[in-house]
Amino acid sequence: GEALAVSARVAPLGSRLVLLLVEDLTEARRIEAVRRDFVANVSHELKTPVGALSLLSEAVMDASDDPQAVERFAGRMQGEAVRLTNLVQELIDLSRVQNDDPLEDAEPVRVEELVAEAVGRCRHAAGTKQITMASNVWSPEGADQGDTGQGDTGHRAEPTATGDFRIWGNRGQLAAALGNLVENAVNYSPARTRVGIAARRVPRAGGDMIEIAVTDQGIGISEKERERVFERFYRVDPARSRATGGTGLGLAIVKHVAASHGGEVTVWSAEGQGSTFTLRLPEAAAAPTRDRAPRPSH
Ligand code: ADP
């Protein structure tokens, strides 16, 4: 507001330099506001479990002659401690993806390995809910064979043993990004549903992209919420997110990793039917001797 007023006053001077300075100021103010919001959010998110822990420890002391109550309270304390640990870990992850240049130690990372790691990370949670996880890493050649030519869903395609898809990037960050998407798919799906992970190559003028799509048959996300879920700490249903140990930071991390690798993440969803999150990332060049790493534009 204030910066705009300043801008209006200096505009008649016709000095581009002054205008640029004012724009810088506006941007600086915006960044400062985002930082303030973030700190406020973090404080709030930390206060909740810490407050609960403090109340529960008092309750334990008061109930010292009732072993069953003590056990109950201790169980809840453990839950709050897990939530705190998750939050701190995700804050560390977020700060790492924001501060480190992912391409500094970039390497060709096999998609098959990323998928295996993500599936492994969620195996326990999926097992408890009897969620089937299926992954398909197929080549575009395979997708076209005997199909209508669209390769639209690829379900007719022969899954090929192509561990050949490789992404150019930071292994740890890519694993964290895909892991978050698969974890969400499991968390926001009812029991006895299916989570699918599919990868394919998408031709592009400046170098091919690898697309990894994570599809669930879960609760879905309304159109209104779809753009907001990538914001830090944004949750459609905070209670549900907390129940699954969610922090509201996962998709913010995914979005950051995608962008810093020169890619993107998008979401398709039908409420009550499911969602598909798609990561699109630059393919690593086949020849290991030539560095064809795309540089991010920012
Ligand atoms: P959280 O830790 O809460 O899962 P995320 O940043 O990973 O945080 O996701 C933000 C919100 O987006 C979630 O709280 C949830 O409401 C929604 N969401 C994410 N993934 C899915 C999904 N696969 N299906 C439905 N809702 C989802």
Side-chain angles (χ1 to χ4, degrees), residues 39-268:
V39 171
N41 278 329
V42 172
S43 316
H44 176 79
E45 297 288 335
L46 286 170
K47 258 190 198 155
T48 311
V50 169
L53 276 172
S54 137
L55 286 175
L56 284 164
S57 65
E58 271 174 39
V60 166
M61 286 190 274
D62 290 346
S64 52
D65 51 353
D66 180 352
Q68 273 185 339
V70 168
E71 201 175 322
R72 210 170 52 238
F73 291 138
R76 286 174 54 190
M77 289 178 82
Q78 206 168 29
E80 295 297 336
V82 167
R83 193 201 296 181
L84 256 181
T85 310
N86 284 347
L87 178 59
V88 170
Q89 185 55 52
E90 292 246 292
L91 280 170
I92 292 170
D93 288 349
L94 180 66
S95 110
R96 206 170 273 156
V97 302
Q98 284 181 336
N99 295 326
D100 298 356
D101 175 5
L103 301 182
E104 212 159 80
D105 42 19
E107 57 183 329
V109 182
R110 290 181 56 203
V111 170
E112 227 171 43
E113 275 169 36
L114 292 175
V115 171
E117 192 176 326
V119 168
R121 193 168 129 179
C122 301
R123 188 160 284 139
H124 179 73
T128 327
K129 290 169 83 173
Q130 291 177 270
I131 288 176
T132 317
M133 293 212 265
S135 64
N136 238 347
V137 181
W138 69 83
S139 69
E141 295 78 26
D144 286 343
Q145 272 166 22
D147 211 325
T148 51
Q150 296 294 84
D152 46 0
T153 60
H155 60 266
R156 288 228 220 139
E158 286 296 304
T160 58
T162 161
D164 285 353
F165 285 161
R166 292 184 306 172
I167 293 167
W168 183 258
N170 180 297
R171 180 182 298 274
Q173 291 199 10
L174 293 172
L178 188 63
N180 269 312
L181 291 184
V182 178
E183 210 166 64
N184 281 347
V186 171
N187 280 346
Y188 300 103
S189 291
R192 286 177 292 280
T193 52
R194 185 177 178 279
V195 170
I197 308 168
R200 60 176 188 150
R201 177 187 288 119
V202 181
R204 195 191 53 157
D208 291 353
M209 302 292 271
I210 299 297
E211 207 175 78
I212 312 176
V214 180
T215 301
D216 65 56
Q217 301 172 321
I219 57 176
I221 306 165
S222 73
E223 196 180 343
K224 204 178 87 219
E225 314 274 9
R226 243 168 268 163
E227 47 194 82
R228 298 213 61 193
V229 292
F230 294 100
E231 290 172 20
R232 294 179 298 200
F233 293 118
Y234 188 81
R235 304 160 170 120
V236 176
D237 176 354
R240 183 180 184 123
S241 163
R242 284 215 183 86
T244 61
T247 60
L249 292 174
L251 288 179
I253 292 173
V254 177
K255 187 179 173 184
H256 200 94
V257 170
S260 63
H261 278 77
E264 61 175 349
V265 56
T266 53
V267 57
W268 172 93

